[in-house]
Amino acid sequence: MAAEETIQNQGKITEGNDVEMSFLDHIEELRWRIIYAIIGIVVFTIVAWIFINPIVEIVLLKPARDAKVPLQNLRPFGQLFLYVQVAITVGIICSLPNIFYQLWEFISPALKKRERKYILWIVFFSTFCFLAGIAFAYFVMLPMAMNFGAQFGTAEISNQWTIDEYISIIISVMLAAGVVFELPMISFFLSKLGILTPKFMRKYRRHAIVIIMILAAFLTPGADPVSQIILAVPLVLLYEISIFISKLSSKKSD
């Protein structure tokens, strides 16, 4: 009888899928999630390397070409290291859905069963927000920043940018914009956990604007003040959207 009750109890635990994991189990789960994420990055990095010439020459060099600023390489094997950097960056960006999925799968045991149903939607909107930030940086911020930087020059001093500094600015601005565009999703997640409330966000709106201006300066290293201001404007709008999302998610949690 005791053996039968034990088997029945084990079956119930398995069906519920709510077995408590030990600390070592969590570490093992995290290890595998990181491995899956890295595999995705490696695969997309290899694909990016196959198409590295059009990625660099057609996509990344376009802002400098439009601003009519010549680029030059001053380091031995500089272009090789540059191509590797670009391939890895593109690999990370393209594997974002997999990265977000592995992250949410690791967090999912802490969520309620009904909340786990929305993981795919969360992955979709997280990826969409990040890519929207990259698109905003590429089509709005970078053209204005390049034109702003290119207009300074004299007959004695000509603008000739080094390729590594140029690509560093391009990648940093695009990734920074992608990160800050995740603000609505961060607001959604923190509101679901009860850490953030719309009342709190409205109360400290002025403080948030100051922090946003400072954050925009740090997130655009090497870029000009114009890019920082251009990044700060959508950040303020995203903050207002985050208040609305926090309000909706708080109601659903109740």
Side-chain angles (χ1 to χ4, degrees), residues 6 18 26 36 38 49 55 57 74-75 80 109 115-116 120 135 137 155 159 164 172 179 188 192 197 204 233 245:
T6 302
D18 291 323
H26 280 293
Y36 294 148
I38 292 175
W49 183 259
I55 291 174
E57 295 176 6
L74 300 178
R75 296 188 304 166
L80 173 61
E115 294 174 341
R116 297 173 192 168
L120 291 180
N159 283 319
D164 54 340
S172 63
V179 170
F188 172 82
K192 278 290 185 182
T197 63
Y204 292 97
V233 170
I245 291 176

Side-chain angles (χ1 to χ4, degrees), residues 52-109:
I52 193 64
N53 284 327
I55 291 174
V56 173
E57 295 176 6
I58 299 176
V59 179
L60 294 182
L61 298 185
K62 184 179 182 300
R65 193 180 302 117
D66 293 341
K68 298 180 180 178
V69 176
L71 301 172
Q72 55 182 332
N73 173 47
L74 300 178
R75 296 188 304 166
F77 306 104
Q79 292 195 51
L80 173 61
F81 294 138
L82 173 70
Y83 276 31
V84 172
Q85 178 187 3
V86 171
I88 294 174
T89 303
V90 173
I92 293 173
I93 293 174
C94 292
S95 62
L96 278 177
N98 178 53
I99 294 174
F100 285 131
Y101 178 77
Q102 300 304 330
L103 173 63
W104 285 105
E105 278 292 308
F106 177 71
I107 298 175
S108 64

Side-chain angles (χ1 to χ4, degrees), residues 110-160:
L111 303 176
K112 297 178 182 178
K113 186 173 292 187
R114 62 184 179 85
E115 294 174 341
R116 297 173 192 168
K117 300 177 182 178
Y118 302 106
I119 288 180
L120 291 180
W121 283 108
I122 292 173
V123 170
F124 171 78
F125 283 110
S126 298
T127 305
F128 174 80
C129 289
F130 196 93
L131 295 180
I134 290 178
F136 176 81
Y138 185 78
F139 291 105
V140 179
M141 292 177 60
L142 289 173
M144 296 184 68
M146 295 299 107
N147 290 326
F148 178 82
Q151 69 181 347
F152 293 96
T154 63
E156 293 78 18
I157 305 174
S158 62
N159 283 319
Q160 292 186 0

Side-chain angles (χ1 to χ4, degrees), residues 59 63 93 127-146 169-182 212 216 219-220 225-238 241:
V59 179
I93 293 174
T127 305
F128 174 80
C129 289
F130 196 93
L131 295 180
I134 290 178
F136 176 81
Y138 185 78
F139 291 105
V140 179
M141 292 177 60
L142 289 173
M144 296 184 68
M146 295 299 107
I169 291 175
I170 294 289
I171 292 177
S172 63
V173 170
M174 291 174 64
L175 293 182
V179 170
V180 298
F181 267 64
E182 290 291 334
I212 284 172
L219 289 177
T220 52
V226 173
S227 298
Q228 297 168 5
I229 295 174
I230 295 172
L231 179 59
V233 170
L235 263 178
V236 174
L237 295 176
L238 286 171
I241 294 173

